Amino acid sequence: MSANPPIFATLGCRLNAYETEAMKELAEANGIENAVVVNTCAVTAEAVRKARQEIRKLRRENPEAKIIVTGCAAQTEPETFATMGEVDLVIGNTEKMQPETWQNMGPNFIGDTERVQVNDIMSVTETAGHLIDGFGRHRAYVQVQNGCDHRCTFCIIPYGRGNSRSVPAGVVVDQIKRLVDKGFNEVVLTGVDLTSWGADLPATPRLGDLVMRILKLVPDLRRLRISSIDSIEADEMLMQAIATEPRLMPHLHLSLQHGDDLILKRMARRHLRDDAIRFCEEARKLRPEMTFGADIIAGFPTETEAQFENSMKLVTDCDLTWLHVFPYSKREGTPAAKIPRQVNGKVIRDRAARLRAIGDEQVHKHLQAQIGREHVILMENPHMGRTEQFTEVSFETAQDEGAILKAVISGVKGTQLTV
C-alpha cells in the first residue's frame, strides 16, 4: 500500500461502483499516489452538474493532489472537464479499465501523460471480466455486460458506454467460483443492459442460459441476484430459472420508464404498458414471493396529466415495491431534448413527488405483509441484513457479517423490518 493512496469518488450506478473497485486495484498496482479519481455519471444534466460540484469540493479538500476525471460524463463531454482548472487528467470509460493507462501515469504523473485520453467508445468490441473481491464480506458484484445497442430517446448512456459487449460465460463462472472460494454468499450480476447479454457471443446465448450455467457449475453459491433487466427481453430460460431455482433471488428491478403507451413510443422503448403488467403477473405465477423495483421517469416531454396518471396506475397494476423515480432532465445530444413540448419544471417536480409518495405506500404495504413471516436473511453488517426480496431487516443483537440466517419478522421501523 502506498504512503499516500489515491482517493476515489463514485457517482451514479452500481456498475460505476464496480469499476471504481477495479480502478483502485489498478492504481495500487502501479503505485499511484496523491491523486483523486472522480468516476462520473452522465444519466442526466443534473448528474453532470453534480460531478462538477464534487470536483470543485475535492479540489478544495485536496489542493496538492492530481485530479483524474473519468466515467460516463468524461466520455460523453470530455471538454466540459478538460476546461475546468481543477482537473489534471480526463480519461474515458475504456481507458479507465486498461492497465496501461495507469502504468503510463507513473506514481506521480511524471512524463508526457496526455491530459485528455478519451477514444471513440463505439469502436470498442469487447468487455473484459475485471476481477475484484466485492464491496465487503457479504455480497459481490460481477460485471457480465457493458454498453447498450438500444437508443431510447431520453438516454445518453450508449454514448458513454458504447455498444453492448458481453463477458464470456466461462470467465463469469470462473470469477464467481473465485468469489465463493473467498467466502461470499451472494453474487449480483451487473451490466448496462443485462438482458442483451450473449447477443455478441458465439451461438448467441441468452441471460437465462448464463444464470442456469452459473447455478449448475457453482453449486456452493448460496444466492444469485440479477441487478436490473428489460422485462420485454426476458428469455424462456430466465423464466424457467425464476420458477425452478430457489438460489436465484425473488427480486427483479425492471427498466419500465413509463406507464403510457404513447409516451413509451416517444421514448423508443420496446414494450407497451400491457407487456409490463403481463411480465409481472407471469413472474409472480412462477414465483409468488417475487418483488419488483422499477425505474420510472416523471415529466417526459409532451406528458399530459392523464398520461402521468397511467404511470401512477402502473405502480399498483404491476404491484411494484421499490421505485427509482427520475424527474425528466433535458439531456443535450438526445432526441428527447429536441421535442418542442417540454414539461414545466415545477410540474415535473410535483409529478415526481407524487410518484415517490405512491412508492412509499407500496413499500409500507410490503413491509406490513412480512410481519409474522420467516425470512432467510443475508447480514450486511452486525445489525442489518436483507431478505431474499432485498428488504432491509434490523437486528438489536449483533450477528456475523456475511452470515445467512433465518428469522421471524416481528415488526416494522421506518423502511426496515425488525426481528
Side-chain angles (χ1 to χ4, degrees):
M1 180 67 71
S2 60
N4 191 10
I7 297 166
F8 286 81
T10 305
L11 306 171
C13 66
R14 178 57 67 179
L15 183 55
N16 253 13
Y18 176 96
E19 290 172 341
T20 292
E21 294 303 309
M23 283 193 288
K24 285 179 182 177
E25 295 185 1
L26 289 167
E28 181 179 343
N30 290 283
I32 303 298
E33 295 186 344
N34 197 27
V36 175
V37 183
V38 185
N39 199 5
T40 63
C41 173
V43 69
T44 63
E46 176 66 9
V48 178
R49 188 192 69 79
K50 285 183 177 179
R52 290 168 59 87
Q53 186 179 50
E54 181 72 6
I55 289 163
R56 293 189 184 103
K57 178 173 84 73
L58 288 166
R59 169 53 78 208
R60 290 194 297 272
E61 294 171 352
N62 304 275
E64 302 302 319
K66 299 286 187 181
I67 291 189
I68 305 166
V69 179
T70 186
C72 288
Q75 181 68 48
T76 57
E77 44 187 284
E79 67 287 343
T80 294
F81 302 98
T83 56
M84 293 181 68
E86 296 86 352
V87 175
D88 296 285
L89 184 64
V90 181
I91 58 177
N93 262 338
T94 300
E95 290 75 19
K96 74 181 182 185
M97 306 303 286
Q98 293 173 335
E100 54 267 32
T101 300
W102 300 87
Q103 292 164 5
N104 292 339
M105 286 182 199
N108 296 297
F109 296 84
I110 297 170
D112 299 323
T113 302
E114 190 176 347
R115 188 161 179 265
V116 178
Q117 301 174 36
V118 181
N119 292 327
D120 179 12
I121 196 78
M122 295 301 176
S123 66
V124 181
T125 58
E126 293 183 358
T127 283
H130 304 284
L131 273 69
I132 63 168
D133 290 337
F135 300 108
R137 296 199 309 253
H138 53 279
R139 178 181 296 114
Y141 293 80
V142 174
Q143 180 186 357
V144 303
Q145 182 275 339
N146 203 343
C148 185
D149 290 338
H150 305 303
R151 296 295 182 265
C152 299
T153 59
F154 55 82
C155 187
I156 198 75
I157 297 306
Y159 306 99
R161 290 282 176 182
N163 291 318
S164 182
R165 293 100 66 201
S166 308
V167 178
V171 176
V172 175
V173 169
D174 287 346
Q175 283 195 29
I176 294 175
K177 284 180 178 177
R178 176 178 179 269
L179 291 163
V180 170
D181 287 345
K182 284 181 170 287
F184 288 96
N185 280 323
E186 182 172 297
V187 166
V188 185
L189 303 183
T190 187
V192 175
D193 182 28
L194 269 183
T195 36
S196 70
W197 180 88
D200 57 325
L201 297 177
T204 59
R206 303 292 300 276
L207 181 61
D209 299 311
L210 178 64
V211 167
M212 287 295 209
R213 186 167 176 177
I214 292 167
L215 293 170
K216 178 182 178 182
L217 296 180
V218 195
D220 293 335
L221 175 64
R222 301 280 296 275
R223 292 160 65 134
L224 179 66
R225 286 193 189 276
I226 301 172
S227 59
S228 179
I229 67 167
D230 202 338
S231 58
I232 196 67
E233 296 183 338
D235 61 279
E236 189 175 333
M237 192 68 77
L238 181 59
M239 302 308 289
Q240 184 179 329
I242 290 170
T244 63
E245 292 288 351
R247 291 185 294 149
L248 178 63
M249 294 296 94
H251 167 258
L252 291 172
H253 191 82
L254 309 177
S255 178
L256 296 183
Q257 309 304 347
H258 212 275
D260 183 83
D261 284 349
L262 182 56
I263 296 293
L264 287 167
K265 287 179 180 178
R266 287 175 177 161
M267 288 179 165
R269 298 294 296 163
R270 293 159 300 287
H271 71 276
L272 297 175
R273 172 194 184 82
D274 285 347
D275 296 321
I277 296 170
R278 192 180 308 113
F279 173 82
C280 292
E281 289 175 347
E282 182 181 353
R284 276 209 181 86
K285 283 178 185 174
L286 298 174
R287 194 84 174 268
E289 68 270 34
M290 181 70 74
T291 60
F292 298 105
D295 297 330
I296 301 184
I297 295 173
F300 185 82
T302 76
E303 181 189 72
T304 64
E305 180 63 25
Q307 289 168 332
F308 170 73
E309 288 292 341
N310 281 335
S311 280
M312 293 280 284
K313 193 167 183 293
L314 186 71
V315 174
T316 51
D317 287 346
C318 289
D319 198 14
L320 305 175
T321 300
W322 318 107
L323 295 191
H324 286 182
V325 176
F326 293 89
Y328 173 76
S329 174
K330 187 175 180 179
R331 195 70 180 83
E332 294 303 328
T334 62
K338 299 176 182 176
I339 295 176
R341 282 195 292 139
Q342 301 283 320
V343 179
N344 176 274
K346 183 177 181 304
V347 173
I348 292 175
R349 291 189 293 274
D350 174 68
R351 289 176 180 172
R354 288 158 61 193
L355 268 173
R356 292 190 185 104
I358 196 172
D360 291 344
E361 291 173 13
Q362 290 290 104
V363 170
H364 179 75
K365 184 179 78 170
H366 169 73
L367 296 175
Q368 291 296 322
Q370 309 314 308
I371 296 175
R373 294 185 181 179
E374 183 178 72
H375 278 282
V376 182
I377 299 159
L378 172 70
M379 297 305 301
E380 295 192 1
N381 62 54
H383 294 281
M384 193 279 283
R386 288 187 191 266
T387 69
E388 293 183 328
Q389 290 92 350
F390 212 60
T391 310
E392 291 187 2
V393 185
S394 176
F395 288 74
E396 282 192 21
T397 305
Q399 310 293 327
D400 293 335
E401 182 181 343
I404 292 180
L405 51 86
K406 290 183 179 180
V408 175
I409 304 305
S410 61
V412 175
K413 184 177 181 181
T415 59
Q416 291 184 327
L417 301 171
T418 58
V419 295

